[in-house]
Amino acid sequence: MGTEIERRFLVADLPAYWLAQAQAHPIQQGYLLTEPDRVLRVRQKDDQFIMTVKSGQGLSRQEEEQTISAELFAMLWPLTIGRRNVKTRHVRTLDGLVYELDIFAENLAPLVMLEVEFRDEAQAHAFTPPSFVRREVTEDGRYTNAALALHGLPDDFAA
């Protein structure tokens, strides 16, 4: 398994130039298994189909991804009804870091969340978020994609 080290932030006012400099990817993902420390999801990103197992919580989590066929995705997708996210991911690299800005749709609109991936925890802790960030939610389990798919926006979310 690989280790994913990322911080997540809610976004307040996103500058227009940021989206213009990013690549957009439509994503739909659904959860087959959701446990407190482990999830199993299927995702369609552009024309790619991926199954992912994530375990752990917070800043550093274990992640294993496997490309699957469109047929397997189609077979599993109905099993995720009621546990899905639809979003557009805007990806850009800046100063050697990968920034993934997710603009959620449907029941999760108007949520906009920024995820930044790091090579190690020291780099993650040293990171200063951009000025358009409203607040960090890395350690707030209610803002994981799985929790959002299951429960929707937290009660205290303010657009």
Side-chain angles (χ1 to χ4, degrees):
M1 282 191 158
T3 301
E4 173 189 63
I5 301 168
E6 71 178 13
R7 289 175 63 186
R8 292 185 311 276
F9 306 91
L10 298 182
V11 173
D13 297 313
L14 183 64
Y17 75 86
W18 205 96
L19 289 179
Q21 297 173 357
Q23 287 187 317
H25 304 278
I27 294 176
Q28 61 175 350
Q29 59 191 29
Y31 291 83
L32 298 163
L33 170 73
T34 56
E35 296 178 349
D37 274 349
R38 183 176 46 199
V39 299
L40 173 63
R41 79 166 181 232
V42 291
R43 168 189 280 177
Q44 179 181 4
K45 177 182 176 187
D46 298 323
D47 294 329
Q48 262 188 321
F49 302 93
I50 303 163
M51 181 179 286
T52 305
V53 177
K54 288 190 177 196
S55 57
Q57 297 178 1
L59 176 67
S60 182
R61 301 176 1 158
Q62 295 299 307
E63 178 181 72
E64 189 66 43
E65 291 189 335
Q66 176 68 47
T67 300
I68 61 174
S69 68
E71 294 78 18
L72 180 55
F73 179 86
M75 182 185 82
L76 296 172
W77 187 246
L79 302 175
T80 68
I81 291 173
R83 297 182 309 275
R84 295 178 179 167
N85 300 8
V86 176
K87 59 190 177 181
T88 301
R89 172 163 286 170
H90 300 268
V91 181
R92 90 183 262 215
T93 303
L94 187 62
D95 299 327
L97 297 175
V98 176
Y99 289 70
E100 298 174 330
L101 182 99
D102 291 338
I103 299 176
F104 288 82
E106 298 179 359
N107 66 316
L108 294 175
L111 177 62
V112 179
M113 192 169 351
L114 176 68
E115 297 178 354
V116 184
E117 297 185 10
F118 304 94
R119 68 177 174 274
D120 56 43
E121 289 191 21
Q123 184 186 37
H125 291 298
F127 176 73
T128 300
S131 61
F132 58 80
V133 161
R134 183 171 66 194
R135 71 179 164 109
E136 184 165 5
V137 293
T138 302
E139 300 296 333
D140 188 339
R142 299 171 307 158
Y143 286 95
T144 65
N145 279 281
L148 292 166
L150 285 171
H151 308 294
L153 290 172
D155 290 339
D156 64 353
F157 174 78

